[in-house]
Amino acid sequence: MANTPQAKKRIRRNQRRAEVNGNRVGRIRTFVKRVEAALAAGDKTAASAALAEAQPEMARGVARGVLHRNTASRKFSRLTKRVAALA
């Protein structure tokens, strides 16, 4: 258990940051799910639009440090490939 005031403050800060970062990750997941739902429905225009919205969200997650750069790049690449494959 934290004994020093500094350690107690760090625990409070970590809890707040974890909540904010969790919300950010959840928001990114929501945008990715919209793309996947459009892909499942076979709607290329909706999938393209959803992908265009998801990409800046993933980039923002990278900038905020909640997603690794390579992870976001891999996810975006795979989604782009799947959208392009829709005929």
Side-chain angles (χ1 to χ4, degrees):
M1 185 61 207
N3 288 325
T4 65
Q6 179 181 3
K8 291 176 182 176
K9 178 179 178 180
R10 180 59 75 174
I11 288 171
R12 291 193 308 269
R13 285 183 54 197
N14 287 346
Q15 288 172 341
R16 284 195 297 266
R17 295 317 308 161
E19 186 176 343
V20 170
N21 289 340
N23 290 337
R24 285 185 178 137
V25 172
R27 183 174 165 86
I28 292 167
R29 279 200 202 112
T30 300
F31 278 90
V32 170
K33 284 179 186 176
R34 287 180 189 161
V35 177
E36 290 173 348
L39 285 168
D43 189 356
K44 185 168 182 157
T45 57
S48 298
L51 184 65
E53 290 178 351
Q55 195 270 336
E57 284 298 323
M58 286 194 276
R60 199 169 296 121
V62 170
R64 302 282 194 261
V66 296
L67 268 184
H68 193 274
R69 179 174 38 108
N70 293 350
T71 301
S73 179
R74 181 183 66 244
K75 288 179 183 292
F76 187 68
S77 175
R78 289 178 182 174
L79 286 173
T80 303
K81 195 185 301 184
R82 286 173 62 192
V83 169
L86 281 179

